[in-house]
Amino acid sequence: MTTETQAQALSDGADLLIDALKLNGITNFYGLPGIPITDLTRRAQAAGMRMISFRHEQNAGNAAAIAGFLTQKPGICLTVSAPGFLNGLTALANATTNCFPMILVSGSSEREVVDLQQGDYEEMDQLAIAKPLCKAAFRVLHAEDIGVGVARAIRAAVSGRPGGVYLDLPAKVFAQTMDAETGRKSLIKVVDPAPRQIPAPDAVQRALQLLAGAKRPLIILGKGAAYAQADTEIRTLIEKTKIPYLPMSMAKGLLPDTHEQSAAAARSYVLPEADVVVMIGARLNWLLSHGKGKTWGGKDAKAWGGQKFIQIDISPQEADSNVPIDAPVVGDIGSCVSALLNGISAAGSGWPQPSADWLGAIADRKSKNIAKMAETLAKNPVPMNFHSALNVVRDIIKANPDAMLVNEGANALDFTRSIVDMYKPRKRIDVGTWGVMGIGMGFAVAAAVETGLPVIAVEGDSAFGFSGMEVETICRYNLPVCIVVFNNNGVYKGTDVNPTGGPDVAPTVFVKGARYDKLMEAFGGVGVHATTPAELRKAMEEAVRSRKPTLINAVIDETAGTESGRITSLNPKSAKK
Ligand code: FYN
Ligand code: ADP
């Protein structure tokens, strides 16, 4: 895009930024207009980019982050200076923690004035603040450097372990002009932005040797495995070796959850009993009890259970973060899994299968848990509980396996994870490594924009509140998003009382009988108040069929929740009563 001035064609900073992104196949912006980027947002739209405007930058940032996860290209979040930048920063830090590639592009104030602290409009040294919270941070001071700045930001976001990148653009850069031809030549089309990383042959041999000796092997798939888009290689490895596997939350669906080798329904049995565990794109962080303690069969919270670990990861620093890793295999997951498969194929029929006792014990445990779950799901209490409502969601996803599922909350998260089976890779997106609340509507918008598929967002009523205003965004862009708010009148549940008898309700309690469906109606979407599974089913079926923005206020028994869902132990109770 160029601006004609008298005799000479000129490009300005805004042109160059837009052209640099487009040159690298990035066509969507998630952001919020304001000083100094308002005109940039208009120009991006005029240049054929999709500019999705949000109501709060944190939601735009979350959208950019999950766009990165889904597409392997950095999602772009565009914000104004200081406060807008800070609003986007939470999402940038969360993206980095989760290994999602995104670039936060923020306008900033006059450098000379900021550095002398002379009190500029929205004065803040944004680059310095962003640095410790992301993978890399860059500032461009001259329009002719925009091409390099964008190229460096893209490479930093997607190469190696993906993560968040900050790109600082002081306001005056947008208006700087240069000769259009020189400007075009200053742009860089990044060649091979996320180069394959082939594992070292000796590391592969070490891993194969350990695996060949396993009696009770287990594979754990993490969201890195989902991100890598090595779906065929991973499925072949699992099916060829017959090793049972456990999907972490966002790896659900990499193989269908109904797969006979899934050990998800025997989780607390397989972790302590396994002798060799293959981690594929998963970290031994809090979600896996740091690889030790009772979860892993250790005799106390700090004790190691005796398992040997093979860890496949693109980051060489990940191994030994919590327990010793006997066979680290460093490289991209596609290359690493292929290398293991080559070794296994070379062994032919000589490759050992897991012991029949191990597979039998898992099958036994699984069928007991699945039967117990089926019994609970068959109940139809009044009012609904999480199980009877999720039984409906489970059926809807089964009938629409391509739909995207967004999920956040405490109980609404934990129950959905174990009850709602996923059938395809990268369909489940949730609170991730930090267990962060507030990702819901940002993720839902980006999932709809990036995939064009129907989106179902299962939200706790508390979680929904963090990003609820974005229902207007969903209506404005007419996105096929069906939000189901599990309304049990409060955080965890709605039954706490103020022990003083004073006028304030307890800290965890919301307005009782709130009608979240009316919020959607306010912007022209479909609102439904559902008090039975039949009403919920009808409304969800209609939402998926019509692709109209829909919010279903699903009334759940206010006594139904547990404090912090399945992670109650992390929420310390005061010793005083
Ligand atoms: C799982 N399970 C099943 C099935 N799938 N039973 C029957 N059928 C099916 N399909 C069983 C499984 O064996 C477990 O029982 C139980 O259900 C729970 O399984 P889950 O969810 O996989 O395991 P668990 O223990 O909850 O996982 C630990 C965790 C997880 C830390 C990975 O809780 C998690 O991802 N938590 C995130 C929490 C979070 O971020 N919260 C947001 C903050 S909330 P047993 O084997 O009998 O144990 C703020 O308050
Ligand atoms: P989960 O929470 O599902 O266990 P984590 O986010 O903790 O998953 O772990 C993901 C891991 O995957 C990170 O250690 C990251 O370095 C790794 N990873 C991400 N992408 C790739 C890739 N393409 N190849 C190899 N490893 C990857």
Side-chain angles (χ1 to χ4, degrees), residues 264-268 287 369 373 413 417-418 431 435 492 566-567:
R267 189 176 198 276
S268 59
L287 289 153
N369 266 349
M373 169 91 83
L413 175 85
R417 187 180 57 249
S418 55
V431 304
Y492 310 130
R566 299 228 349 138
I567 52 172

Side-chain angles (χ1 to χ4, degrees), residues 104-124:
L104 174 67
V105 181
S106 296
S108 59
S109 303
E110 198 76 23
R111 272 268 32 98
E112 293 80 353
V113 185
V114 172
D115 286 350
L116 273 172
Q117 299 178 27
Q118 294 175 304
D120 203 0
Y121 169 76
E122 296 194 346
E123 179 176 295
M124 176 175 276

